[in-house]
Amino acid sequence: MTSYATPQGGLPPQTALATTRAQFHESFAVIPRGVMRDIVTSALPGWSGARAWVLARPLTGFAETFAQLIVELAPGGGSDSPEPDKTGQAVIFVTSGDLRLTIAGTVHDLSPGGYAYLPAGCEWRIANPGTAPATFHWIRKAYEPAPGLAAPEPFVTHEAEVPIAYMPDTGATWGTQRFVAADDLRHDMHVNIVTFAPGGSIPFPETHVMEHGLYVLEGKAVYLLNQTWVEVEAGDFMWLRAFCPQACYAGGPGRFRYLLYKDVNRHPKLTLR
């Protein structure tokens, strides 16, 4: 069974050094696992038994399209009205514990690796029915309707049900699990899992319009962010502005995997919001 990194919480001892891999620049940010502590969590209105690490939110002049939270639910915790924004669509990805997700009256029990897409305006509820805390990623984006396209429907799946599509000519060292077909233009965001075998790489600096949130689920790598090579490991988060060059080498000894957000499939706006 796959194990996914989750925040360790707590506080470091008073004897710990403050030196860290945390970085914030004009084009990227690195939030390492070691700074995701109890002191930086938030409670959420409309939720009970919940605390959240807010990893990303729209910031003028930086990444602007999405919010990403890691939510920890205590046993019995949850929400009957989780989404405060009527334009907000979401992806839920479970990393530990058990969740009960109810979509328009239909109940879905999710375990680690469980994935759900929740369109804007969808009626949904979430709860932890178990006896241990549960954690999940909640990735949110305001939906952008497109002329002639219906809004997408909700769906629930598990990463074990989604095969890895390997990049051509990589010898099965670099691949992506795509939860939504790339040519399904109803969707204006993708949240996928990217996997590298030890030694696998992105062999060129990708430089593109899509913003990214990357949460490392397992393994370690050295990642190029703009002009800086950064070591990252399971539990780290990277936040990339549009056009930030990026590449990586997977370090081993096991595979390197991350949950990846990007905005897609819409015409560029010709005026600033």
Side-chain angles (χ1 to χ4, degrees):
M1 179 178 177
T2 300
S3 177
Y4 310 95
T6 59
Q8 63 195 74
L11 287 174
Q14 289 287 292
T15 54
L17 297 178
T19 304
T20 177
R21 293 178 292 112
Q23 300 187 44
F24 187 87
H25 299 273
E26 72 282 355
S27 57
F28 72 89
V30 178
I31 305 176
R33 60 184 298 170
V35 304
M36 297 183 201
R37 300 292 186 166
D38 296 348
I39 198 170
V40 298
T41 60
S42 294
L44 300 173
W47 292 67
S48 64
R51 63 176 184 168
W53 288 268
V54 180
L55 302 180
R57 66 174 180 87
L59 289 175
T60 300
F62 195 64
E64 297 184 344
T65 62
F66 76 109
Q68 185 161 346
L69 298 82
I70 300 176
V71 181
E72 181 184 88
L73 282 184
S79 178
D80 291 334
S81 54
E83 177 54 69
D85 189 331
K86 65 181 180 180
T87 70
Q89 63 185 320
V91 163
I92 299 291
F93 183 77
V94 184
T95 53
S96 72
D98 298 307
L99 288 179
R100 181 157 294 157
L101 179 66
T102 303
I103 305 174
T106 301
V107 175
H108 304 271
D109 287 324
L110 303 181
S111 59
Y115 182 110
Y117 172 74
L118 303 163
C122 174
E123 178 191 346
W124 61 282
R125 295 181 286 126
I126 195 165
N128 177 359
T131 58
T135 57
F136 62 95
H137 286 255
W138 183 18
I139 301 171
R140 304 166 59 228
K141 179 184 182 296
Y143 183 65
E144 298 180 48
L149 293 174
E153 300 90 8
F155 68 86
V156 176
T157 186
H158 190 280
E159 72 130 311
E161 300 173 4
V162 180
I164 298 176
Y166 288 101
M167 299 295 183
D169 304 318
T170 64
T173 60
W174 172 20
T176 302
Q177 289 166 275
R178 296 183 173 88
F179 294 86
V180 171
D183 60 356
D184 186 345
L185 299 185
R186 299 175 304 163
H187 288 269
D188 67 349
M189 75 171 183
H190 289 167
V191 178
N192 300 323
I193 295 176
V194 180
T195 298
F196 293 88
S201 70
I202 299 175
F204 69 103
E206 293 187 34
T207 309
H208 51 65
V209 71
M210 287 85 81
E211 297 179 344
H212 278 337
L214 293 84
Y215 181 81
V216 182
L217 296 169
E218 61 177 295
K220 65 178 182 178
V222 59
Y223 221 96
L224 174 67
L225 299 168
N226 199 355
Q227 301 300 310
T228 303
W229 286 95
V230 179
E231 284 189 295
V232 294
E233 64 178 344
D236 291 352
F237 180 75
M238 292 168 277
W239 194 13
L240 280 64
R241 189 177 179 180
F243 301 111
C244 176
Q246 59 184 285
C248 78
Y249 292 93
R255 58 187 184 171
F256 173 61
R257 307 180 76 216
Y258 54 80
L259 189 68
L260 173 72
Y261 159 89
K262 62 181 176 180
D263 51 310
V264 294
N265 298 342
R266 292 295 183 267
H267 292 289
K269 290 180 172 61
L270 300 182
T271 57
L272 295 176
R273 286 175 289 187

